[in-house]
């Protein structure tokens, strides 16, 4: 914990009561707004016998040490604020931000998630890792060695067997590998993904901006204290005086334009050389002021910043929920791609085994004189080619897994095992026109564009307000202390109240800039309208494409299933009469079966992703706080996993996984 004194609203006395601080007493409880207002407007704001800093009460002069109690008050107040806890104010801010986000999400409805502020240490550098580079150094060192300082070590051997051995060494199993199925991957991303954290922080920043704007529209408290020493020299001798001024004020912005304020102004002047003779003065004033526009700047235009901040908060709430849905589709698509790649590896390994059996058969036939050397060499070449394809596929898979780890926010060196799984989404019964209408109503980003178009309309209205003439009402009233007394203290004299009120009218002689601003606002409105129309049409196109994508994926899956049956029948016929088929026929049959299996797996993935994209594009995708899909009414999931039950991220596997990356 640091010891920087937090001074809210510029008040050097922190949260202590203004009354008790000035009287030499400190309150150990927070002062509420209404209580402070009561103290400000109560004539007995200071207990009898107590003094303002540097002021003398009407009673007997206590002597030359009369300035000591106020100085002790400042010391006590500073110590109290320092000991009250450096983080309490920031904890209150975090609580207000979380409450504001939760309230906005509740008003938005649906299955939403409120970001949780995780013990931010933005102001406590001791708890965070220091940057490697000095943040205040102007001349930064650069590490950039020359070619002579760098060393390149050529490989001692490029033997094929050694290369194959190194490649096989990459396919190691780890007992502590994290097993990830689709649900676990989504849950991990919800907690650790960098993109998700960025989206959360955008929501939090919108909340902070709204809290700042709301604070500016509430009562604001300020206290300024100044001390001035002035010396006038005469024949080498200086007459030195001390002038103390304390101004406490409250300001409030009005909802339809203008401000009102209340000030308590206290002044004291003391001759430092003649302090025992009573050559000092003190006085105080209570001043009420109001400035209210009646034409230009009046009305809802005065609240433009507040209105826009409130609406921006809703926009960001929608954006965050929209991000959760699109992020789920992104993570799920990448995971299903890994599943397809992993299945392709399994298919490739089976193909290698088949080619090796074919190679052994052709070699045996060649040794028995029943086949030519060409056929045997052709089978050997096919085996080597398939091994090369398998190694390249393994490297692509490893690279894809590492990139997926980065997407999840997982350490790259953390070994994982991808468990073959999916959502098992049922195929929806869709009417294209109905799907488009659903998207027009449900899409959160489309609602944002529609409401931002209304913002542009409001901007034109606000710009037209600037063409009006200026007509402002100014009023003030001052309650001073008794002007006939040098040491008036807080002896306010109602008979000396003064006030003034006036109206200022400004002719709109020069409004050229304002008219230009109106043209700018009108052009921005037209651009916003075109942007909305284009985005709406794009949404409709994407929904239509998603509907057609489901039909296309269904058709492709059926074709690939038939293709597998044909390839299996072809391979079975060759195996039944191997002497009738050449080595080339065998190799091509194996290759066709491999491609058919890969294409079938890819079609399954495309169907699952197409359904996800349809739900996303129509705005019907719903996600629980853990990051998984919430089933809609009538939606039943099929079997999600073809493998063993996965463990949660970070939990060690009980047995070595089949292939850890």
């Amino acid at each position: 914990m640091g010891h920087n004194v937090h001074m809210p609203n510029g008040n050097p006395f922190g949260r202590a009561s203004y009354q008790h601080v000035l009287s030499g007493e400190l309150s150990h409880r927070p002062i509420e707004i209404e209580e402070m207002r009561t103290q400000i407007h109560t004539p007995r704001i200071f207990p009898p016998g107590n003094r303002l800093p540097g002021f003398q009460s009407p009673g007997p002069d206590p002597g030359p040490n009369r300035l000591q109690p106020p100085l002790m008050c400042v010391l006590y107040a500073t110590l109290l604020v320092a000991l009250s806890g450096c983080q309490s104010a920031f904890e209150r801010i975090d609580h207000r931000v979380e409450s504001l986000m939760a309230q906005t999400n509740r008003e938005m409805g649906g299955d939403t998630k409120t970001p949780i502020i995780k013990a931010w240490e933005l102001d406590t550098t001791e708890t965070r890792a220091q940057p490697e580079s000095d943040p205040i150094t102007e001349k930064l060192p650069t590490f950039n060695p020359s070619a002579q300082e760098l060393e390149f070590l050529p490989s001692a051997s490029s033997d094929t067997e050694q290369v194959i051995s190194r490649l096989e060494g990459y396919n190691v199993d780890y007992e502590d590998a994290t097993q990830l199925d689709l649900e676990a991957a989504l849950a991990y991303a919800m907690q650790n993904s960098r993109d998700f954290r960025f989206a959360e922080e955008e929501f939090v920043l919108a909340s902070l901006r709204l809290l700042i704007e709301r604070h500016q529209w509430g009562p604001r408290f300020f206290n300024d204290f100044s001390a001035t020493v002035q010396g006038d020299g005469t024949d080498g001798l200086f007459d030195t005086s001390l002038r103390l001024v304390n101004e406490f004020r409250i300001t409030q912005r009005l909802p339809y334009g203008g401000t009102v304020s209340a000030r308590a102004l206290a002044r004291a002047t003391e001759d430092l050389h003649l302090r025992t003779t009573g050559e000092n003065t003190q006085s105080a004033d209570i001043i009420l002021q109001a400035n209210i526009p009646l034409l230009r700047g009046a009305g809802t235009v005065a609240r433009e910043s507040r209105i826009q901040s409130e609406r921006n908060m809703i926009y960001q709430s929608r954006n965050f929920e929209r991000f959760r849905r699109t992020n789920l589709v992104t993570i799920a698509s990448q995971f299903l791609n890994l599943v397809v790649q992993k299945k392709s590896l399994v298919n490739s390994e089976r193909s290698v085994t088949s080619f090796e059996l074919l190679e052994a058969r052709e070699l045996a036939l060649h040794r028995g004189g029943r086949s030519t050397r060409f056929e045997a060499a052709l089978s050997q070449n096919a085996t080597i080619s398939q091994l090369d394809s398998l190694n390249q596929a393994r490297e692509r898979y490893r690279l894809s897994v590492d990139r997926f780890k980065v997407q999840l926010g997982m350490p790259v060196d953390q070994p994982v095992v991808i468990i073959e799984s999916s959502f098992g989404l049922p195929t929806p019964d869709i009417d294209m026109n109905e799907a488009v209408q659903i998207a027009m109503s449900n899409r959160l980003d489309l609602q944002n564009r529609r409401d931002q178009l209304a913002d542009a309309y409001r901007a034109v209205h606000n710009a037209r307000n600037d063409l009006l003439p200026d007509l402002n009402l100014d009023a003030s009233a001052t309650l001073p202390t008794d002007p006939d007394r040098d040491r008036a203290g807080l002896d306010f004299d109602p008979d000396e109240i003064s006030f003034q009120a006036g109206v200022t009218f400004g002719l709109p002689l020069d409004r050229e800039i304002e008219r230009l601003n109106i043209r700018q606002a009108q052009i921005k409105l037209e651009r916003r309208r075109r942007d909305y129309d284009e985005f709406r049409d794009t949404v409709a196109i994407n929904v239509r494409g998603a509907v057609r994508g489901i039909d296309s994926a269904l058709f492709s899956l059926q074709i690939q299933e038939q293709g597998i049956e044909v390839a299996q029948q072809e391979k079975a016929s060759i195996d039944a009469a191997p002497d009738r088929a050449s080595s080339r026929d065998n190799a091509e049959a194996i290759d066709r079966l491999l491609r058919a299996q890969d294409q079938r797996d890819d079609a399954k993935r495309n169907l699952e992703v197409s359904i996800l994209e349809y739900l996303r594009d129509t705005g019907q995708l719903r996600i629980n706080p853990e990051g998984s899909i919430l089933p809609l009414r009538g939606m039943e999931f099929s079997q999600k996993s073809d493998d063993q039950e996965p463990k949660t991220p970070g939990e060690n596997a009980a047995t070595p996984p089949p292939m850890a990356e």
Side-chain angles (χ1 to χ4, degrees), residues 217 252-260 290-293 297-299 302 473:
W217 282 87
Q252 172 70 58
R253 296 173 67 177
L254 300 178
Y256 292 99
T259 59
V260 294
N291 181 275
I292 302 175
L473 172 64

Side-chain angles (χ1 to χ4, degrees), residues 122-367:
L122 299 179
D123 59 323
T124 54
T125 56
E126 297 86 353
T127 61
R128 298 185 66 84
Q130 297 295 322
E132 297 181 1
S133 176
D134 190 347
I136 61 175
T137 299
E138 297 180 359
K139 301 296 184 180
L140 296 176
T142 301
F143 181 75
N144 184 29
S146 64
Q148 298 300 323
E149 298 173 303
L150 299 175
E151 185 178 4
F152 177 81
L153 299 177
S155 177
S157 174
S158 298
D159 182 69
T160 303
E161 294 297 330
Q162 293 184 359
V163 173
I164 294 177
S165 177
R166 289 200 300 269
L167 290 174
E168 292 295 334
Y170 297 142
N171 304 321
V172 294
D173 295 340
Y174 297 92
E175 295 184 358
D176 61 342
T178 298
Q179 299 191 35
L180 281 181
D181 69 349
L182 182 53
E183 298 283 350
L186 292 171
Y188 193 95
M190 184 72 67
Q191 297 294 329
N192 302 279
S193 170
R194 296 177 180 88
D195 291 339
F196 191 84
R197 293 296 300 274
F198 282 136
E200 283 185 319
E201 289 163 355
E202 286 296 326
F203 197 2
V204 172
L205 289 174
S207 303
L208 292 172
R209 288 190 289 266
L210 178 55
L211 289 178
I212 291 173
E213 187 65 29
R214 287 181 176 179
H215 179 75
Q216 292 176 345
W217 282 87
R220 304 187 64 188
F221 298 84
F222 303 90
N223 192 89
D224 298 326
F225 178 80
S226 64
T228 305
V229 176
Q230 181 177 352
D232 297 326
T234 303
D235 297 332
L237 300 177
F238 288 88
D239 185 11
T240 308
S241 61
L242 173 65
R243 178 177 175 84
L244 303 177
V245 178
N246 191 90
E247 180 185 11
F248 175 74
R249 65 186 183 277
I250 305 174
T251 62
Q252 172 70 58
R253 296 173 67 177
L254 300 178
Y256 292 99
T259 59
V260 294
S261 64
R263 294 188 297 157
L265 184 63
R267 296 175 295 272
T269 303
E270 182 171 353
D271 193 319
L272 299 180
H273 290 283
L274 302 175
R275 60 184 302 173
T276 60
T277 64
E279 295 295 332
N280 51 16
T281 62
Q282 60 186 52
S283 62
D285 295 307
I286 295 179
I287 305 170
L288 303 178
Q289 290 181 315
N291 181 275
I292 302 175
L294 302 178
L295 290 177
R296 188 185 187 192
T300 57
V301 66
R303 295 188 293 117
E304 171 59 25
S305 59
R306 173 68 179 268
I307 293 173
Q308 192 61 59
S309 295
E310 296 282 355
R311 294 169 70 92
N312 287 343
M313 181 65 184
I314 299 175
Y315 297 158
Q316 196 58 51
S317 176
R318 295 171 180 170
N319 287 339
F320 178 65
E321 187 59 28
R322 173 67 180 172
F323 170 81
R324 292 180 66 226
R325 300 170 185 178
T326 57
N327 188 60
L328 179 141
V329 177
T330 301
I331 296 296
S333 299
Q334 294 180 358
F335 181 89
L336 294 175
N337 284 339
L338 293 178
V339 170
V340 171
Q341 287 183 267
K342 187 174 182 180
K343 288 182 176 180
S344 178
L345 287 178
V346 175
N347 294 335
S348 296
E349 290 169 354
R350 292 173 181 170
S351 296
V352 169
T353 302
S354 298
F355 276 111
E356 288 175 345
L357 293 176
L358 176 62
E359 178 185 351
R361 175 180 173 277
E362 292 297 333
L363 287 176
L365 290 175
H366 173 65
R367 294 191 187 99

